Amino acid sequence: DIQLTQSPSTLSASVGDRVTIACRASESIINWLAWYQQKSGKAPKLLISKASILGSGVPSRFSASGSVTEFTLTISSLQPDDFATYYCQHYYTYPYTFGQGTKLEI
Amino acid sequence: EVQLVESGGDLVQPGGSLRLSCAASGFTFTTYWMSWVRQAPGKGLELVANIDQHGSEKHYLESVKGRFTISRDNAKTSLYLQMNSLRAEDTSIYYCVRRGEAFDVWGRGTMVTVSS
């Protein structure tokens, strides 16, 4: 199975900060990677698909890049609504797997 | 409005069975793969099962193979998960998810608790 490792596991930041979350795959997934945001008690929400394509209605302060095994999600200027847990997920081959999550906190 | 609504979650004893349902609306159900994703309390996300548009191709998480069965009824625009021989480690919120561009639509989830 392809393993995804996110770093850091927890990230402390402030409103207005620029933050980056990394996701490393144990083998090549080309660009079949998605990013999700999950707020406490809610279902995850798709932010990014195919490594860099912004999801419908997702603010432009979110961006992502990467390919093969190294990927990043960047939030250019943190807003109060952005404090949540973020997951990466590959959908290259079965079983699709998720990273362990990065909790973004104040 | 695109919507997925799960139902069927409950408290069940180890070894018991449960059937989850997901009612889909607001999109052409027959053109999408569908999935069940679960999340144990305080833990991360785990893809449990996938099914193609026609119900002919299915994929399962290794730990649920032989115990869980995913199915769909396109006429009723509904997705199902039959769960047998339930274990404590199956305790999770189960989300019904549409596979569009990645997992692009999620239901609110239904809670399954396996405990004596």
Side-chain angles (χ1 to χ4, degrees):
Chain A
D1 297 1
I2 297 173
Q3 308 300 319
L4 296 179
T5 303
Q6 290 183 231
S7 59
S9 295
T10 306
L11 181 56
S12 297
S14 303
V15 172
D17 285 354
R18 178 185 178 90
V19 298
T20 296
I21 299 169
C23 178
R24 172 175 288 179
S26 59
E27 59 188 86
S28 175
I29 56 171
I30 309 178
N31 65 346
W32 296 105
L33 188 97
W35 289 95
Y36 302 88
Q37 177 193 64
Q38 186 178 33
K39 297 180 182 177
S40 181
K42 302 292 187 181
K45 172 189 173 185
L46 177 66
L47 295 176
I48 302 284
S49 62
K50 265 195 173 178
S52 61
I53 299 174
L54 206 61
S56 175
V58 176
S60 58
R61 62 181 179 274
F62 290 91
S63 64
S65 64
S67 64
V68 189
T69 60
E70 302 288 338
F71 302 87
T72 57
L73 173 70
T74 298
I75 309 172
S76 60
S77 178
L78 274 174
Q79 300 301 301
D81 191 50
D82 300 336
F83 291 94
T85 299
Y86 293 83
Y87 294 93
C88 59
Q89 178 221 7
H90 86 82
Y91 48 110
Y92 177 60
T93 186
Y94 289 107
Y96 300 166
T97 53
F98 292 84
Q100 82 278 15
T102 294
K103 185 176 182 180
L104 180 53
E105 57 185 29
I106 300 173
Chain B
E1 180 192 4
V2 175
Q3 200 170 11
L4 298 171
V5 179
E6 304 93 338
S7 61
D10 204 348
L11 170 63
V12 60
Q13 292 189 340
S17 297
L18 212 54
R19 189 195 196 207
L20 305 184
S21 299
C22 169
S25 60
F27 64 98
T28 305
F29 186 69
T30 52
T31 63
Y32 290 91
W33 281 71
M34 296 295 296
S35 303
W36 289 98
V37 174
R38 71 184 180 184
Q39 186 170 37
K43 301 298 184 182
L45 300 165
E46 192 171 52
L47 175 60
V48 174
N50 264 354
I51 187 169
D52 76 350
Q53 295 90 334
H54 310 292
S56 55
E57 184 175 346
K58 304 173 185 181
H59 299 272
Y60 295 94
L61 180 69
E62 191 63 36
S63 63
V64 308
K65 283 180 181 177
R67 300 188 299 122
F68 290 11
T69 302
I70 189 172
S71 63
R72 64 192 294 163
D73 184 333
N74 285 342
K76 295 182 178 179
T77 64
S78 292
L79 178 72
Y80 306 100
L81 186 68
Q82 176 66 42
M83 303 186 295
N84 298 331
S85 302
L86 281 161
R87 305 167 181 168
E89 54 265 35
D90 296 319
T91 294
S92 291
I93 298 172
Y94 285 74
Y95 295 103
C96 173
V97 187
R98 187 180 83 173
R99 165 73 196 279
E101 201 46 65
F103 288 1
D104 62 353
V105 179
W106 296 64
R108 291 187 175 183
T110 188
M111 184 69 203
V112 173
T113 303
V114 184
S115 176
S116 55

